[in-house]
Structure formats: C-alpha cells, structure tokens
C-alpha cells in the first residue's frame, strides 16, 4: 500500500492489523461518547508497537476526527464554543507543546501507569456520585489549572481528554455542546501535537504515512458510533461516558503492569 512499506518492514503486518483494529475501536467509541479515541487507540495499539509509535499513529486520526466532530453542528456553534473556552484552550496547547518534548525521554510503563490511574480514579469518582463544583469567580483559575494538567498529559501521551471532560462536565453542558467543546479542544491540541512531534521525530517518514492511513478505519468506525450517540439521552450518555473512562484507564494500568 502507498507509503506503508517502511512501516511494514519495521513492525510487520500483524502490527499494522492490530493498529487498524485499535483505531477502529477508538473511532467507534469517539462516535458514541465524543472522546476516547486516544484512550482506547493508545492502550490497544501499544500492545503491537512501541509507545512513541502508538502516539504517532494516533495523531492524524485525532486531527481529522476532531475537526469533523467539532464542526458537526456547523461553524457558528463551533466559534461560540471556542470563544467561551478560549483560555482553557490557550493554556492547553502551550502545555502540550512543552510536554511533548519529554515523550522520547520517559519510560512507556511510567506514562501508561500514571495516566491510567488518573483516568480510572476520575471516572470511578464520578460514577460514585462525586461532582466537581467551583464558584463562578474561580473559573479563570480553574481553567488555567485544567489546561496545565491536561496539556501535560497530552504532550506526554497524546491523551488530554479526561481533565478537559472533567471540567466541562462540571459546567453542566448539554450533550451536543459538551461533545462540540471537547472536540474543538482536542482539535487544537492535535494540531500542536502534530507540529511538536514532527520536531521530536516521533512523526517521521515511517510513522507519518501510517498515521494518515489510520484515518480511514477511524472515520468509518466513528460514523457507526454516531448512530448509537444520536439515540442516547443525556443521562445514559453521561453514564456511558464515565464507564468508557474507567475501562480505558484500567486497561492502561494493565499495560503498565504487564
């Protein structure tokens, strides 16, 4: 296949098929709950290729899928969401650019374990009934803190959704607005991650063509996921979102331990 020969020579056909399945699973989940492409894609693809390669494979599917999802209701609503959460997104992209430089320096197991524990703890606390609440006057400080934490994890792992989602849930956004706002944050972060990893070498002549090919299974599976999403009411949507978080986080912990 066009551009895939270097990747196949380096990692083999089983790794390619495993990556396709991982991105398809992540794309379906993203269509259903609006996120979890990197959570699921990274945890599954990491079983077939080294951690930095798994991150590279995710970058182009994240960029394209978040663009499509962020603009699903049109340009006007997307612009409104960007205006509302401009500070959060600004801090996020700066931190992603800085933290991405550490990807090639930190061990895989540390990254998987740190992220997995954080994600699982957040999802489980939400399912247990805990809700993040903060006074309106503290919104600026909270957005900065969330952007810093999310950008740190995002630059290291390509996964910055859980802190962003935690904050947006606390804002009590309706289902459509929640998905749109998080997708636009993910889109901006994906663009920065693309530029950062062209510099670090994580994206290179071997991994970049493979990442472009991964867009195909991701978008096809996401289209199927949309059908489930459109049938979910607000309560079921939120519950499913949290379950996906917990399961994905535990899988990352499993990857770190074993």
């Amino acid at each position: 296949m066009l551009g895939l020969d270097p990747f196949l020579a380096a990692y083999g056909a089983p790794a390619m098929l495993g990556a396709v399945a991982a991105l398809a699973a992540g794309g379906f989940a993203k269509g259903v709950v609006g996120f979890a492409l990197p959570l699921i894609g990274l945890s599954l693809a990491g079983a077939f290729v080294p951690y930095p390669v798994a991150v590279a494979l995710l970058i182009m599917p994240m960029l394209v899928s978040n663009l499509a999802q962020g603009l699903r209701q049109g340009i006007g609503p997307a612009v409104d969401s960007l205006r509302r959460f401009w500070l959060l997104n600004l801090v996020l992209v700066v931190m992603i650019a800085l933290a991405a430089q550490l990807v090639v320096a930190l061990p895989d197991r540390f990254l998987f374990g740190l992220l997995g524990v954080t994600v699982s703890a957040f999802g489980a606390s939400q399912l247990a009934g805990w809700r993040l609440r903060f006074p309106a006057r503290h919104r600026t400080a909270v957005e900065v803190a969330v952007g810093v934490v999310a950008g740190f994890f995002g630059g290291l792992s390509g996964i910055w959704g859980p802190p962003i989602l935690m904050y947006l849930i606390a804002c009590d956004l309706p289902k459509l607005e929640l998905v749109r706002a998080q997708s636009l944050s993910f889109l901006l972060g994906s663009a920065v991650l693309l530029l950062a990893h062209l510099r670090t070498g994580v994206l290179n002549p071997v991994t970049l063509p493979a990442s472009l090919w991964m867009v195909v299974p991701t978008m096809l599976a996401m289209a199927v996921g949309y059908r489930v999403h459109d049938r979910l009411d607000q309560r079921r949507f939120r519950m499913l979102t949290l379950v996906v978080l917990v399961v994905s986080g535990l899988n990352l912990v499993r990857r770190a331990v074993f």
Side-chain angles (χ1 to χ4, degrees):
M1 296 179 71
L2 183 63
L4 285 179
D5 290 345
F7 184 90
L8 290 171
Y11 302 105
M16 172 59 69
L17 293 175
V20 168
L23 271 294
F28 175 76
K30 183 167 179 59
V32 176
V33 296
F35 73 105
L37 169 58
L39 278 170
I40 294 175
L42 184 63
S43 61
L44 295 179
F48 299 95
V49 294
Y51 186 90
V53 176
V55 171
L57 293 178
L58 279 163
I59 290 176
M60 293 310 298
M62 286 195 300
L63 190 67
V64 175
S65 63
N66 285 315
L67 177 62
Q69 205 159 48
L71 297 177
R72 196 180 182 202
Q73 287 86 45
I75 295 178
V79 171
D80 290 341
S81 292
L82 288 173
R83 286 174 178 167
R84 180 173 180 181
F85 298 106
W86 70 270
L87 179 60
L88 172 68
N89 291 326
L90 176 62
V91 177
L92 172 71
V93 298
V94 171
M95 281 302 301
I96 287 176
L98 294 175
Q101 311 307 313
L102 299 175
V103 167
V104 295
L106 294 177
D108 294 6
R109 296 179 69 175
F110 171 79
L111 294 173
F112 278 122
L114 180 63
L115 187 64
V117 169
T118 303
V119 169
S120 297
F122 167 65
S125 68
Q126 293 288 296
L127 286 171
W130 179 76
R131 299 289 184 270
L132 174 66
R133 292 289 184 266
F134 55 87
R137 66 181 182 277
H138 293 158
R139 176 178 171 179
T140 297
V142 172
E143 285 202 1
V144 170
V146 170
V148 168
V149 173
F152 175 74
F153 279 115
L156 291 178
S157 64
I159 300 173
W160 54 92
I164 298 292
L165 184 61
M166 181 178 179
Y167 173 69
L168 295 178
I169 288 175
C171 292
D172 290 324
L173 298 181
K175 181 178 73 169
L176 291 180
E177 188 175 356
L178 176 65
V179 172
R180 182 174 64 248
Q182 70 188 26
S183 295
L184 291 169
S185 292
F186 300 164
L187 171 63
L188 294 172
S190 299
V192 174
L193 202 63
L194 169 65
L195 297 175
H197 283 321
L198 285 172
R199 180 178 178 181
T200 64
V202 169
L203 274 177
N204 53 55
V206 174
T207 58
L208 181 56
S211 184
L212 285 167
W213 274 105
M214 291 298 116
V215 172
V216 177
T218 300
M219 296 304 292
L220 290 175
M222 194 167 81
V224 177
Y226 276 150
R227 299 188 174 214
V228 179
H229 170 87
D230 292 339
R231 293 185 175 94
L232 293 174
D233 59 25
Q234 184 73 20
R235 183 187 64 81
R236 290 180 179 175
F237 169 75
R238 186 179 184 282
M239 184 66 66
L240 185 58
T241 295
L242 295 173
V243 170
V244 170
L245 271 178
V246 172
V247 172
S248 299
L250 291 175
N251 192 48
L252 287 172
V253 173
R254 176 202 61 78
R255 178 71 174 88
V257 174
F258 299 106

